[in-house]
Amino acid sequence: MLKFGRMRLDPLGLLGVAILIGLWFVLLPFTPRAMLPSPVQVVRYLAESFFYAPNFRYFGLADHSFLSALTYTVSNVLIAVGFGSAVGILLGLFSARVSALRAGTDPIALTVGNVPILIASPFLLMWFGSGRLSTVLVVAFYVSVTLYVYSQRAAVNLSPVFEASARTFGASTPAVVRDVLLPGTLPEILGGIRIALAGSWGLEAVAELLGDQRGIGKAIRSIATAMDVEGLFAALLLLGLTAMIVDLAAARLVSGLSSWRTRDETETA
């Protein structure tokens, strides 16, 4: 693990990126530019269209730059992850401690979790229309199911000794939830949020592609229809870089919020 100040970078991850870029350059002489533009062309296209893209007007997009489309997509993902996480975590934690609730929610979560979200998304688009609401709900739907499973598993895996000890010392139920259940399940829940966040980017882009009028997904669809290969690669590159940056920030947040657990394990060892 390479460390630069407070940032840690995985050398294997960097090696993977380097190999991918190297393969890109290797394939250039054997692939028509209409199918595979050079990385330099893609980066130049992205830089020129980041703040203002005249061709977006020609494509009929509501967004007139990559920045505008990216802002819309990022805001949708963050809203959906926040809402979906809140619902999934609450239901997961309560169902782990209330058997009657778990008996009712587990079959639903199991059924819904086995249905591919891309199959369920058209129903949400039909019910709520083609707009921001349906796009956010598609992602929140996926996130809530994911966090329900992670939260419930985290609460089940938490040793009952801790809660029993707290009640022995006279802790009330709210105090047990606040001081034992939430801290004890937080690291695993944060890991689940990070996994859900990683999957939300592609799902958001697909939801925008299916019915929304804004966002990176809509831009990708319009650019692909116009056979603008450089623009398509630029949009995909921008979405991938954004997802990577947000994941690094999420990893840093998870590490900071879970630092107490690392210290406890170190002291115990």
Side-chain angles (χ1 to χ4, degrees):
M1 188 71 67
L2 301 177
K3 189 173 183 180
F4 299 92
R6 294 187 175 182
M7 290 187 62
R8 294 183 178 181
L9 298 178
D10 184 3
L12 293 179
L14 295 177
L15 178 61
V17 173
I19 292 175
L20 179 61
I21 296 176
L23 287 175
W24 192 348
F25 277 106
V26 169
L27 291 174
L28 282 178
F30 309 101
T31 310
R33 291 299 173 91
M35 297 177 60
L36 183 67
S38 71
V40 177
Q41 290 175 313
V42 172
V43 172
R44 183 185 298 117
Y45 188 104
L46 179 59
E48 293 174 350
S49 304
F50 189 74
F51 293 105
Y52 179 65
N55 55 329
F56 278 22
R57 291 182 180 271
Y58 173 75
F59 296 151
L61 295 173
D63 295 306
H64 297 152
S65 67
F66 275 123
L67 177 60
S68 176
L70 180 65
T71 301
Y72 181 82
T73 297
V74 171
S75 61
N76 280 0
V77 169
L78 295 181
I79 292 171
V81 170
F83 177 74
S85 296
V87 173
I89 290 171
L90 287 175
L91 285 177
L93 292 179
F94 277 108
S95 65
R97 293 295 182 264
V98 182
S99 57
L101 177 61
R102 183 172 183 175
T105 55
D106 270 8
I108 297 175
L110 180 63
T111 302
V112 171
N114 288 327
V115 176
I117 190 63
L118 295 182
I119 295 178
S121 57
F123 292 97
L124 294 175
L125 293 173
M126 287 189 297
W127 294 335
F128 298 100
S130 58
R132 188 168 202 168
L133 176 61
S134 59
T135 304
V136 171
L137 286 177
V138 166
V139 182
F141 178 79
Y142 159 79
V143 173
S144 62
V145 173
T146 302
L147 266 297
Y148 172 84
V149 174
Y150 269 87
S151 301
Q152 185 186 89
R153 186 175 64 184
V156 170
N157 290 341
L158 184 65
S159 175
V161 172
F162 300 115
E163 295 183 37
S165 298
R167 294 188 184 280
T168 300
F169 286 102
S172 61
T173 298
V176 170
V177 172
R178 182 186 67 246
D179 299 329
V180 178
L181 184 60
L182 289 179
T185 58
L186 184 61
E188 193 166 347
I189 290 175
L190 290 175
I193 292 177
R194 187 181 174 188
I195 292 175
L197 181 61
S200 297
W201 296 103
L203 186 58
E204 170 67 20
V206 170
E208 292 171 353
L209 187 148
L210 289 175
D212 210 334
Q213 300 303 312
R214 295 190 61 191
I216 289 292
K218 178 64 176 180
I220 290 174
R221 178 182 180 181
S222 300
I223 292 172
T225 302
M227 299 299 291
D228 185 352
V229 180
E230 290 182 13
L232 181 59
F233 271 78
L236 293 174
L237 176 63
L238 179 61
L239 184 61
L241 288 174
T242 302
M244 183 177 67
I245 292 171
V246 174
D247 182 67
L248 289 174
R252 177 63 183 169
L253 179 63
V254 169
S255 177
L257 293 176
S258 305
S259 59
W260 61 269
R261 185 173 185 177
T262 305
R263 290 195 301 268
D264 287 348
E265 292 174 351
T266 303
E267 291 174 359
T268 301

